[in-house]
Amino acid sequence: MTDIEIAQQTKMEKITQVAAKLGLAADQIEQYGDYKAKIKLNADQAAKSFGKLVLVTSINPTPAGEGKSTVTVGLGDALAQLKQKTAIALREPSLGPVMGMKGGATGGGYSQVVPMEDINLHFTGDMHALTTANNTLAALIDNHIYQGNHLNLDPRRILWKRVLDINDRALRHIVIGLGSPTSGVPREDGFDITVASELMAILCLAENLADLKRRIGRIVIGYTYDKQPVTVAQLKVTDAISLLLKDAIKPNLVQTLAHTPAIIHGGPFANIAHGCNSVLATQTALRLADYTVTESGFGADLGAEKFMDIKAPVLGKTPDAVVIVATVRALKMHGGVAKDQLATENIPALKTGFANLKRHIASMKRYGVPVVVAINQFTADTAAELAELKALCQQNNTSASVANVWAKGGTGALELAEQVLKLTAQKTEFLPLYQPEMELEEKIKQIITQIYGGRGVEFSAKAKRQLRQFKQQGWDKLPVCMAKTQYSLSDNPKLIGEPTDFTIHVRELVPKLGAGFIVVLTGNVLTMPGLPKVPAAAKMALADDGTISGLY
Amino acid sequence: MTDIEIAQQTKMEKITQVAAKLGLAADQIEQYGDYKAKIKLNADQAAKSFGKLVLVTSINPTPAGEGKSTVTVGLGDALAQLKQKTAIALREPSLGPVMGMKGGATGGGYSQVVPMEDINLHFTGDMHALTTANNTLAALIDNHIYQGNHLNLDPRRILWKRVLDINDRALRHIVIGLGSPTSGVPREDGFDITVASELMAILCLAENLADLKRRIGRIVIGYTYDKQPVTVAQLKVTDAISLLLKDAIKPNLVQTLAHTPAIIHGGPFANIAHGCNSVLATQTALRLADYTVTESGFGADLGAEKFMDIKAPVLGKTPDAVVIVATVRALKMHGGVAKDQLATENIPALKTGFANLKRHIASMKRYGVPVVVAINQFTADTAAELAELKALCQQNNTSASVANVWAKGGTGALELAEQVLKLTAQKTEFLPLYQPEMELEEKIKQIITQIYGGRGVEFSAKAKRQLRQFKQQGWDKLPVCMAKTQYSLSDNPKLIGEPTDFTIHVRELVPKLGAGFIVVLTGNVLTMPGLPKVPAAAKMALADDGTISGLY
């Protein structure tokens, strides 16, 4: 059976029942149909203290697949089976990859969140609200320039790009305002994917509506002809943009196949953005549940680093344990095996590829947080390979557990859940990677040397100029959000396994004052993906009764 | 008090209670919060026969304001007060005008539909689903060209444009695919506003999901280098685009301030599209209520003509009465009075301006349908002016009634409602304006001479060429959707009142085979509006508790 077939044959509980498991009454949620809801802001205020937080991350992704969301869901269901009051906190899928290559992001097999079609398609409209707010701001900026340009904005130095929740490479570089004098002022522009937008980052970091407004007002939309930054507040449309997000800011509630509550909210990609679900959603889960299982995007070098250094300070909570997801297949690829050879047992390649996992274990332990490896079992894995991987982790003083969550759901992750319960009972001392007052360059170097295992950094002439400018503006005290390929610890997607002695090349810095960080663009990472030759869209079908198939 | 203040101080009924008034059980709707719902498809199938249909239209709009939606809501509430089982069927507002100049479209004063903020902003996400489906198709088209262009699409002859639900003149004419060989194939392109899209027309004309798919498959996306049309079905993504609309196709249920059920669904502009709410919504209302009050966009020359000639044949029902909304103020403007002079009594100008209303009365009567004029009262109207306008209508053998719906809600439209009840009790014979088998040119001439009161039509060289091509393709048997300024019966917005002896200039034809009509572009009508110097967005405010003000 396919994932969608498994999902469709499951009888869901009414969302009011799921809410009740978290102590939420019917009037504390807003239903979106029978199986989705938004949790009203402050619905969690009765419970002030936070439960335990488990962060799920992974090795660098490979075409072999790791299944981080699947493990997150399976682990949550396992904790619920062990009679723990559990909530899962995930990111919302982006439609671009759903229609493109990656597919959805609702887990797989018997470890899924449902209704999977709705979650993967429009869900409760958060992405669309973000797209609309983003592009309304863009229209207001171009209209300002067209109507006299009172703020003296330089059309060549507009930072605010338009967005769509679609993989559309033809919109990366465009020229707008053509045609006639009444159709705007011509300038170069481009679209990013919505999940890369600053508004998405803001939505995921805002603590409430007042904070959302403050952050939106601070956004730098571009520069004047005198190279002075111009903000949304100066354009006087802070409230209009904010009110377009008044519902999107509320966390969404759904359920797993085993009816464990899942709060799914916000979804920035971790390669081009900060890669974590919303602070509000995680806080809500932490207040309402004893155990919150959340994930961060792509490998620990991207999502988990940003969780620790960008999200945790706003969240007011660091993880009580980190689960690193690895698979035998993926580690064999990191060890040099081709995708079509993965079904064959290959212990030497596994040993070589383990270096990638080892690097991430070290990175996470550096934060002073207990680590456990979840070995996500695939059918072709041999007993010898699974045993070898477990042994390699143990030799590395790290507990590991084989999880069979795709086939068995929570039952396949009971051992992992027991290990998590043990680890989170420990007292830990969180060690931040950098302090705000450190120079931007130093922060970037800390990430490269201590998390990526690289040697150092090389800045382009433009980036060097920006470092000076940002210091003058006082922006150098902000955290750093690296934009880097997810496939390698380095900025070269081909250097899999554990590259060493490499340098990260910084092309450009982008100030995101609303989000409250500086984006550091490295390598050739794209902020607008493209579609593959045969897009996933081509395989989807809709029956006349509304049933969807071919959605992954 | 402002409209939004009146709306916010009203205590709404739970949407389940509103649904119950139409005989809908809780499991026949999908709640979106407490006060909005989607009506499940086929929820109305138990009731097979249609009730009476009242179509509200108006004179050509002026800056003085006519208040068609306000009258529609007030009339619906009045019918409900008279103990008739009533449903109101409106279009969904577009965010572009909400943020721009026109404001929302939820009525005004004590004749509003609520929750007005939600309806005017994202509502249940239908617009966003359409925008997403439209732009996903655009990305798939450009990706097809980029990935080898197996269908031999000519990038210079792509008909499918991108859309946003935003007024953004800078996106009217753009060049895409720039930057590098991996960022697509460069070509000229442009964005329309979502309400002008063919998908919006399709959503509003589709009878069910199967029909939606058929229509989407038929869409002509462009031409090959050999000038042969290429459809969505040939691109093999009909289902992927359709499934993005599987929820948007369901009609939305809300309520008036007096708790009369209002079904609000689909919202094409009448100047650049067909201007009527969805067939499914109107059918649902007709099946569930004894009286359905619906409106069509802009003046009777646009919205009502398209209702009669495009929507009614699909709907399977023609209006039992037409209400033409007029105001003393607006008719004085049609009579030549400047906007700042409207507060002064001016009977001669009213008499001159009446010519505009007279034209629309004649146009509507031509269809064999009973007509009543609703005089929407404004505070500055004098008793003499109101009496004069009523007398002018009566001299014209047309009943008229002064409605004071802004200040009094349904109570202000009781006389109008009584007249409507009387008119709809008559037996009528509908006389279509044209037959499908007539030539395209003949259909256009019928509209111009019989509805606009013009002399004839002049085709550009391009339009003449297209007339021949469309005939060869067999597309000439489709109905016509005129794209024309709303301000004048002619194609020149400055010719207000009742212009005569004018010619309509047809620039271009656009085949919309999915919608099932040919769009006829006249004058300079824009399919992507722009923002004014001071957009409505600049006046909006969001309080920290989520309360919105300054939204109109």
Side-chain angles (χ1 to χ4, degrees), chain B residues 211-468:
Chain B
D211 187 36
L212 181 85
K213 277 202 297 183
R214 263 193 308 275
R215 288 172 177 271
I216 288 174
R218 284 201 309 249
I219 293 170
V220 176
I221 55 174
Y223 297 93
T224 65
Y225 283 101
D226 314 318
K227 298 188 187 161
Q228 293 307 304
V230 177
T231 63
V232 170
Q234 288 175 268
L235 201 63
K236 298 194 168 64
V237 293
T238 303
D239 282 45
I241 303 306
S242 303
L243 66 83
L244 286 168
L245 300 174
K246 80 170 174 63
D247 293 312
I249 198 176
K250 299 172 196 161
N252 306 295
L253 180 67
V254 289
Q255 64 191 288
T256 69
L257 293 178
H259 319 304
T260 307
I263 301 178
I264 303 195
H265 191 226
F269 286 169
N271 52 349
I272 49 183
H274 80 280
C276 305
N277 76 336
S278 81
V279 161
L280 271 170
T282 311
Q283 284 179 342
T284 302
L286 285 166
R287 287 208 185 93
L288 298 177
D290 295 328
Y291 286 86
T292 295
V293 186
T294 191
E295 63 160 5
S296 54
F298 293 124
D301 52 328
L302 288 168
E305 182 272 314
K306 292 166 185 177
F307 188 99
M308 303 299 192
D309 299 322
I310 295 174
K311 179 173 172 176
V314 184
L315 183 65
K317 173 79 183 161
T318 54
D320 296 290
V322 170
V323 176
I324 305 179
V325 178
T327 63
V328 167
R329 288 160 58 83
L331 289 177
K332 286 196 291 188
M333 282 200 91
H334 276 297
V337 176
K339 201 183 168 189
D340 56 2
Q341 300 296 316
L342 291 175
T344 315
E345 183 176 281
N346 192 333
I347 303 279
L350 178 62
K351 282 185 176 173
T352 312
F354 177 74
N356 185 269
L357 173 56
K358 195 176 154 192
R359 172 76 249 168
H360 293 298
I361 292 172
S363 299
M364 293 298 101
K365 285 190 174 170
R366 193 232 143 270
Y367 288 101
V369 177
V371 170
V372 56
V373 172
I375 304 170
N376 186 19
Q377 189 176 352
F378 276 63
T379 43
D381 299 347
T382 68
E385 285 174 329
L386 292 168
E388 177 65 34
L389 181 50
K390 214 166 163 172
L392 286 166
C393 293
Q394 279 155 358
Q395 285 158 30
N396 212 29
N397 295 318
T398 307
S399 52
S401 172
V402 175
N404 190 358
V405 288
W406 196 96
K408 296 188 178 172
T411 309
L414 289 171
E415 185 193 277
L416 176 66
E418 297 280 11
Q419 288 183 336
V420 163
L421 288 176
K422 216 173 78 187
L423 288 180
T424 54
Q426 298 174 13
K427 221 177 157 56
T428 60
E429 178 103 26
F430 187 79
L431 302 168
L433 182 65
Y434 56 72
Q435 301 301 328
E437 57 274 16
M438 282 167 66
E439 301 277 339
L440 274 180
E441 288 160 84
E442 289 307 310
K443 289 173 192 157
I444 296 168
K445 275 186 200 156
Q446 278 290 95
I447 296 170
I448 293 170
T449 55
Q450 303 215 24
I451 305 296
Y452 302 169
R455 188 161 43 83
V457 55
E458 201 173 277
F459 292 94
S460 71
K462 180 172 187 177
K464 280 184 194 156
R465 208 165 54 236
Q466 289 180 307
L467 282 173
R468 288 193 297 276

Side-chain angles (χ1 to χ4, degrees), chain A residues 4 16 53 71-72 117 131 134 152 201 217 259 288 299 384 389 401 426 431 444 464 469 473 478-479 500 552:
Chain A
I4 193 169
T16 43
L53 179 61
V71 171
T72 304
E117 306 94 314
T131 301
N134 186 100
N152 198 32
H259 318 305
L288 298 178
L389 180 49
S401 172
Q426 298 172 13
L431 302 167
I444 296 168
K464 280 183 193 159
Q469 287 165 355
Q473 297 285 355
L478 293 173
T500 48
Y552 298 99

Side-chain angles (χ1 to χ4, degrees), chain B residues 49-335:
Chain B
S49 70
F50 282 167
K52 297 283 187 184
L53 179 60
V54 181
L55 175 66
V56 180
T57 181
S58 84
I59 56 172
N60 289 96
T62 69
E66 290 68 43
K68 191 173 48 196
S69 300
T70 309
V71 170
T72 304
V73 174
L75 174 58
D77 282 342
L79 288 165
Q81 275 192 39
L82 296 175
K83 307 287 173 213
Q84 303 300 330
K85 192 175 175 188
T86 304
I88 292 162
L90 294 173
R91 289 176 299 158
E92 301 184 48
S94 161
L95 252 175
V98 169
M99 290 289 164
M101 192 148 58
K102 180 176 174 287
T106 48
Y110 289 88
S111 293
Q112 292 188 62
V113 280
V114 282
M116 81 85 99
E117 306 94 315
D118 291 13
I119 299 169
N120 280 317
L121 298 174
H122 308 292
F123 202 17
T124 58
D126 297 342
M127 290 285 175
H128 298 328
L130 286 163
T131 302
T132 304
N134 185 100
N135 295 340
T136 296
L137 177 53
L140 288 162
I141 292 168
D142 277 302
N143 188 58
H144 180 87
I145 296 171
Y146 173 79
Q147 300 280 6
N149 200 6
H150 180 72
L151 289 171
N152 198 33
L153 272 165
D154 185 344
R156 302 162 305 177
R157 289 193 171 84
I158 302 299
L159 292 178
W160 193 255
K161 290 173 79 179
R162 289 167 168 86
V163 299
L164 284 177
D165 186 22
I166 289 172
N167 288 9
D168 194 347
R169 69 168 63 71
L171 293 180
R172 279 177 199 153
H173 303 286
I174 66 176
V175 175
I176 63 169
L178 301 173
S180 80
T182 56
S183 290
V185 176
R187 67 178 183 88
E188 283 186 55
D189 194 16
F191 280 72
D192 287 338
I193 190 161
T194 302
V195 290
S197 69
E198 184 167 3
L199 282 181
M200 171 59 93
I202 289 173
L203 189 85
C204 288
L205 292 168
E207 297 177 70
N208 49 46
L209 273 178
D211 187 36
L212 181 85
K213 277 202 297 183
R214 263 193 308 275
R215 288 172 177 271
I216 288 174
R218 284 201 309 249
I219 293 170
V220 176
I221 55 174
Y223 297 93
T224 65
Y225 283 101
D226 314 318
K227 298 188 187 161
Q228 293 307 304
V230 177
T231 63
V232 170
Q234 288 175 268
L235 201 63
K236 298 194 168 64
V237 293
T238 303
D239 282 45
I241 303 306
S242 303
L243 66 83
L244 286 168
L245 300 174
K246 80 170 174 63
D247 293 312
I249 198 176
K250 299 172 196 161
N252 306 295
L253 180 67
V254 289
Q255 64 191 288
T256 69
L257 293 178
H259 319 304
T260 307
I263 301 178
I264 303 195
H265 191 226
F269 286 169
N271 52 349
I272 49 183
H274 80 280
C276 305
N277 76 336
S278 81
V279 161
L280 271 170
T282 311
Q283 284 179 342
T284 302
L286 285 166
R287 287 208 185 93
L288 298 177
D290 295 328
Y291 286 86
T292 295
V293 186
T294 191
E295 63 160 5
S296 54
F298 293 124
D301 52 328
L302 288 168
E305 182 272 314
K306 292 166 185 177
F307 188 99
M308 303 299 192
D309 299 322
I310 295 174
K311 179 173 172 176
V314 184
L315 183 65
K317 173 79 183 161
T318 54
D320 296 290
V322 170
V323 176
I324 305 179
V325 178
T327 63
V328 167
R329 288 160 58 83
L331 289 177
K332 286 196 291 188
M333 282 200 91
H334 276 297

Side-chain angles (χ1 to χ4, degrees), chain A residues 122-138:
Chain A
H122 308 291
F123 202 18
T124 57
D126 297 342
M127 290 284 175
H128 298 327
L130 286 163
T131 301
T132 304
N134 186 100
N135 295 340
T136 297
L137 177 53

Side-chain angles (χ1 to χ4, degrees), chain A residues 31 33 122 128 132 143 147 162 168-170 172-175 177-178 182 213 239 244 531-533 542, chain B residues 31-33 122 128 132 143 147 162 168-170 172-175 177-178 182 213 239 244 531-533 542:
Chain A
Q31 289 193 54
H122 308 291
H128 298 327
T132 304
N143 188 58
Q147 301 279 5
R162 289 168 168 85
D168 195 345
R169 69 168 64 72
R172 280 178 197 152
H173 302 285
I174 66 176
V175 175
L178 301 172
T182 56
K213 277 202 295 182
D239 282 45
L244 287 168
L531 290 167
K533 199 170 176 85
L542 175 71
Chain B
Q31 288 192 54
Y32 281 62
H122 308 292
H128 298 328
T132 304
N143 188 58
Q147 300 280 6
R162 289 167 168 86
D168 194 347
R169 69 168 63 71
R172 279 177 199 153
H173 303 286
I174 66 176
V175 175
L178 301 173
T182 56
K213 277 202 297 183
D239 282 45
L244 286 168
L531 289 168
K533 198 169 177 84
L542 175 71

Side-chain angles (χ1 to χ4, degrees), chain A residues 134-135 138-139 142 161-163 176 187 189-192, chain B residues 168 171:
Chain A
N134 186 100
N135 295 340
D142 277 302
K161 291 172 77 178
R162 289 168 168 85
V163 300
I176 64 169
R187 66 178 185 88
D189 194 15
F191 280 72
D192 287 338
Chain B
D168 194 347
L171 293 180

